Amino acid sequence: MSDPMLFTALNRRSFATMAFALSSAAVAGATLTPDRAMADTSQGDAWRGVPEMSVAVRSLGVPVKELRMNVSATGYLPDGSPVLYVQGGSPQNAVQFAALDPITGKQLRHHAIEELDDSLSMIRAGDGRVYIPGWGPEALLFRYDPSDDSMTNLGHAVAGESHICRIIEAADGTIHGGTFPNGHAFSFDPTTDTFTDYGQVDPGEYYARAVAYDEQGNLYIGTEGTARMIKLNLATGARTEIPQPPTMKATDFRISLMAWRGGLVMAYYGGSLEWHVYDPRTQQWVAHLPKSAPSMPTELDESGLLYFSDNVVNRLRTFNPATLEVGDAGWSRTVNYYLGGGGMGLLDLKHPNYPGQSVVGMGRRGELWRFNIETGHGHVMTNAEMPLTPVTVRAFGRGPDGKVYVGLSFNNGNLVTYHPPTDDLHVQSTGGIASQIHQYLTADGVIYMGTYTGAVLRRLNPALPLGTGNPGIVFNLNDLNQDRIFGLTKAGDRIAAGTLGKRGHASGRLLFHTPSTGVVVDHGEVLPGHQLVAMAVVDHLLFIGTSVNTPGADPIAPEAQIVAWDLRTDTIAWRHVPVQGLQTISALVPTSGGHLWALTNAGTIFRFDPKKRQVLQETHVAGSGGNHGYPKLTQGVDGLVYGSTGSGVIFALNPNSGGYRTLTTGNYVLPHSDGRLYFARGPEVFQATLTRIE
């Protein structure tokens, strides 16, 4: 889960701690909460042209709770018994932490860390305590003490930082880590419970994404956006950049994991997902491991080997830092990206079937597995008592079948629909949908979905059974440094798509797909420095709203633009800066007279006349917040335009007068053909019925 999208306090814990699982019964009996439009007494005449309305808000429940465990760590409880620690979460939900019996899978301890939205790292320190860093909304560090089953908030690692990316422990017990969004390195002294901030690793880097410590006073930091390795001498502050490995792939944009093993620095590069090994003594890259699961390797076993998941052959493999040899661990079990990706470590299980050391790990789909080094015997358990986490909602769409389609954040490939006539919120497992859906478009009886990662466009035919080829892939831009699809619209007989680059890659791409022929035409990065995040068609022009914000990099263009793309010639007709200093235009809706209404991540809406290339009206609706795809703006069946800001304010807009009313709170609002609104608050789906007050 590597998406540090910005959340506001508006939608945090009050919306995210639902205790019930999805069922039709959870929908039946839900209550309606009257909520008169909030703007009546505070907006002056801003509401002109928008009737006064009461808003009855009804919860449809939390569609999916599932295993969202990110990482594991092995250790021993105070009585000497072995334990597997697991933790993970979904954005806008508390991080779930548990201690499991690695033989039975029984849950021994459990804590919900309400202060953290997510966490991508965890270590068991030499003294038996466990450290958990916060991947937002604040760079907090937590410590679990198994001696008294306590969870302690140790405070902010670095003031002003929102994420701790990774942490490691030095031999003396000091904890080292890196942060986002200013790429600081820091340490934590457990003897005094104090932090030391070593400052920004490099002015050009947002992420100090991964760290390794060489026990000689040097901290190695891997960055994201440019995949650089920087050596920091903690005593002198001297910084030395290590040349990138010659075997590094052109598509590698980050170092997401690092380890110090046997006197060598190991660095895991994304997106090739390959380990490269650096020898500080010779200052050379000395080894290159095959494509591997996203998991730290084990410590060295008694024979000097470490273990990792080789995803070229899907086997548990060994690496010898002394000889640089890769070998097979001797387990016949398939160990793929998912089974090998949740972390692994060495344990003495103190069980007759597992003498000496065993490799114990967690799969990314909740498996608990163990492999004994001496006997070659292993076992995979699929019913371990892992904690469940509600999965955050990311998008809504209107299907040709009249259903509301609900897009989820990181999940195991669920298709969620709500059918208004039957009041049925339904979850199906597809296995063919990526872990996040950010955008829906219905055209010609099928549904197009913009998914993460790799900016993959998928096509779903709801009239056909789910299975092989449904949903199918239209295109995949992972190898072109693209991550997400937010711009998606029908453009004549084609589907137009605009993308967002990976972290550190400042330019999106423009593509067209012709469903009748299956042809995809990629026009490339038509506007360098701009992400293509909003789209609308008027006559022969495709209007594109851009963003100059790129995760993990400074803007290389000054402000957002509206681009007019001529669909007859497939060229840029013109481009224009509508509002000076504006960073992101997140949504565009065409209105009568050929005008466009735009919604920004600054919480403003404006009416734009393409013929005059002039802003006719601009209104501040709410505070700024969110990022790129958070704000939504959609025409309703009643002629009003409905929007939700990045900061989570839902409003109704009269497109003719420019008047608006705020209605309620939530994200990703969708006015449906049934006349009601659908939106999310964290992992929970809501329906709003609007009644005009005469």
Side-chain angles (χ1 to χ4, degrees):
M1 305 171 82
S2 58
D3 178 18
M5 302 287 272
L6 303 178
F7 294 93
T8 64
L10 182 64
N11 282 343
R12 284 188 46 74
R13 300 291 169 234
S14 58
F15 297 150
T17 54
M18 303 305 297
F20 54 89
L22 168 70
S23 67
S24 296
V27 176
T31 59
L32 295 175
T33 304
D35 181 15
R36 179 169 291 199
M38 298 184 297
D40 291 351
T41 60
S42 62
Q43 291 180 190
D45 65 350
W47 49 263
R48 63 189 184 280
V50 181
E52 187 176 358
M53 293 179 282
S54 66
V55 185
V57 175
R58 177 187 181 215
S59 172
L60 301 180
V62 176
V64 173
K65 282 186 175 183
E66 66 180 27
L67 295 163
R68 290 283 85 222
M69 298 294 97
N70 295 334
V71 66
S72 64
T74 54
Y76 301 92
L77 295 176
D79 64 1
S81 58
V83 64
L84 179 69
Y85 295 107
V86 299
Q87 65 92 342
S90 179
Q92 294 176 272
N93 298 285
V95 165
Q96 304 293 321
F97 168 87
L100 304 181
D101 184 319
I103 294 294
T104 67
K106 182 179 179 180
Q107 188 176 118
L108 306 174
R109 315 273 178 86
H110 175 259
H111 290 268
I113 309 176
E114 298 287 345
E115 295 91 338
L116 300 184
D117 270 348
D118 209 347
S119 177
L120 299 188
S121 181
M122 178 173 63
I123 61 170
R124 187 266 305 160
D127 63 5
R129 296 185 292 185
V130 180
Y131 289 86
I132 304 158
W135 182 263
E138 297 173 307
L140 300 173
L141 183 66
F142 279 76
R143 180 170 61 205
Y144 173 72
D145 191 336
S147 66
D148 59 4
D149 191 29
S150 63
M151 186 70 71
T152 303
N153 183 350
L154 300 171
H156 291 263
V158 178
E161 296 297 85
S162 60
H163 296 60
I164 300 175
C165 302
R166 302 283 178 187
I167 56 173
I168 50 92
E169 183 191 27
D172 64 359
T174 302
I175 308 300
H176 298 283
T179 69
F180 168 88
N182 296 298
H184 283 238
F186 73 91
S187 65
F188 175 79
D189 185 344
T191 63
T192 61
D193 282 1
T194 56
F195 291 96
T196 298
D197 178 10
Y198 294 104
Q200 196 172 31
V201 173
D202 185 278
E205 298 296 344
Y206 283 59
Y207 287 86
R209 183 61 192 260
V211 289
Y213 184 67
D214 67 5
E215 307 300 342
Q216 297 177 8
N218 297 307
L219 188 66
Y220 294 81
I221 300 105
T223 70
E224 177 168 345
T226 53
R228 299 162 62 199
M229 184 190 292
I230 298 169
K231 183 174 80 170
L232 170 65
N233 185 295
L234 299 182
T236 67
R239 289 160 168 79
T240 305
E241 182 160 356
I242 308 300
Q244 293 175 321
T247 47
M248 170 183 163
K249 297 292 192 299
T251 55
D252 285 337
F253 65 99
R254 69 181 174 205
I255 301 174
S256 54
L257 297 169
M258 295 178 72
W260 175 256
R261 299 288 188 269
L264 303 177
V265 180
M266 301 182 64
Y268 182 74
Y269 283 73
S272 65
L273 309 182
E274 296 172 348
W275 287 96
H276 299 264
V277 184
Y278 179 76
D279 188 338
R281 294 162 296 190
T282 63
Q283 299 183 26
Q284 298 292 322
W285 293 94
V286 294
H288 174 206
L289 305 188
K291 182 177 180 180
S292 309
S295 168
M296 288 283 283
T298 68
E299 297 292 336
L300 301 185
D301 70 6
E302 294 168 348
S303 61
L305 302 178
L306 62 80
Y307 295 78
F308 71 99
S309 173
D310 179 341
N311 292 155
V312 175
V313 294
N314 288 331
R315 298 273 292 183
L316 186 66
R317 303 271 270 171
T318 64
F319 176 67
N320 188 329
T323 65
L324 306 180
E325 294 177 325
V326 174
D328 193 88
W331 192 17
S332 59
R333 172 77 190 214
T334 295
V335 182
N336 59 17
Y337 176 93
Y338 298 101
L339 188 63
M344 63 184 78
L346 299 177
L347 266 181
D348 180 353
L349 292 172
K350 302 181 180 180
H351 188 280
N353 292 340
Y354 296 89
Q357 289 183 309
S358 294
V359 183
V360 178
M362 179 190 72
R364 297 183 71 85
R365 292 173 173 170
E367 306 92 341
L368 190 161
W369 58 270
R370 50 190 183 266
F371 167 73
N372 186 254
I373 296 171
E374 180 178 324
T375 66
H377 170 71
H379 179 72
V380 177
M381 181 183 302
T382 58
N383 60 348
E385 295 178 357
M386 302 275 183
L388 298 178
T389 301
V391 178
T392 302
V393 174
R394 278 281 183 259
F396 288 92
R398 293 184 291 207
D401 50 6
K403 296 178 180 178
V404 178
Y405 283 74
V406 183
L408 299 176
S409 183
F410 292 98
N411 73 102
N412 290 330
N414 295 289
L415 181 67
V416 180
T417 58
Y418 173 73
H419 195 211
T422 60
D423 200 24
D424 176 37
L425 189 61
H426 189 58
V427 179
Q428 293 174 274
S429 179
T430 68
I433 292 180
S435 62
Q436 289 197 43
I437 300 174
H438 281 295
Q439 194 71 293
Y440 282 107
L441 170 69
T442 295
D444 303 320
V446 299
I447 302 170
Y448 294 92
M449 301 175 290
T451 64
Y452 169 89
T453 60
V456 180
L457 183 65
R458 298 170 189 263
R459 181 182 184 274
L460 173 70
N461 188 338
L464 299 177
L466 294 176
T468 303
N470 191 36
I473 294 178
V474 178
F475 60 72
N476 183 328
L477 304 182
N478 186 65
D479 290 342
L480 293 173
N481 282 321
Q482 301 299 297
D483 235 6
R484 306 173 193 269
I485 300 172
F486 287 132
L488 200 56
T489 192
K490 194 170 190 303
D493 62 353
R494 298 183 293 175
I495 304 298
T499 68
L500 177 77
K502 290 183 183 292
R503 289 187 181 89
H505 193 81
S507 305
R509 303 178 78 89
L510 176 63
L511 299 97
F512 288 92
H513 166 60
T514 305
S516 61
T517 63
V519 171
V520 174
V521 176
D522 180 2
H523 290 278
E525 298 173 0
V526 296
L527 203 60
H530 291 259
Q531 313 290 359
L532 312 184
V533 296
M535 288 184 165
V537 172
V538 178
D539 298 326
H540 65 278
L541 292 177
L542 168 69
F543 294 102
I544 305 170
T546 77
S547 173
V548 296
N549 286 332
T550 299
D554 290 326
I556 62 174
E559 52 217 338
Q561 297 186 9
I562 291 179
V563 180
W565 180 270
D566 193 322
L567 294 169
R568 299 168 301 184
T569 61
D570 276 344
T571 57
I572 293 178
W574 51 262
R575 51 195 179 96
H576 182 74
V577 175
V579 178
Q580 296 296 318
L582 183 64
Q583 299 294 291
T584 300
I585 299 170
S586 290
L588 291 172
V589 170
T591 65
S592 59
H595 292 169
L596 297 170
W597 276 101
L599 177 62
T600 78
N601 69 336
T604 60
I605 51 175
F606 64 86
R607 189 212 302 256
F608 181 73
D609 185 338
K611 293 182 179 179
K612 297 180 179 180
R613 300 183 204 175
Q614 180 181 356
V615 173
L616 304 179
Q617 289 176 270
E618 184 178 9
T619 305
H620 192 85
V621 176
S624 62
N627 200 349
H628 297 104
Y630 274 56
K632 297 294 180 184
L633 203 61
T634 310
Q635 185 88 42
V637 295
D638 57 1
L640 298 177
V641 172
Y642 292 90
S644 54
T645 67
S647 59
V649 172
I650 295 175
F651 62 93
L653 168 74
N654 184 313
N656 298 315
S657 68
Y660 77 96
R661 288 185 188 271
T662 55
L663 303 174
T664 186
T665 57
N667 290 105
Y668 316 115
V669 69
L670 173 75
H672 195 55
S673 55
D674 66 359
R676 291 177 286 197
L677 306 181
Y678 294 87
F679 58 93
R681 293 171 180 167
E684 190 174 2
V685 176
F686 287 84
Q687 177 193 73
T689 301
L690 308 180
T691 304
R692 299 193 179 201
I693 298 175
E694 301 298 334

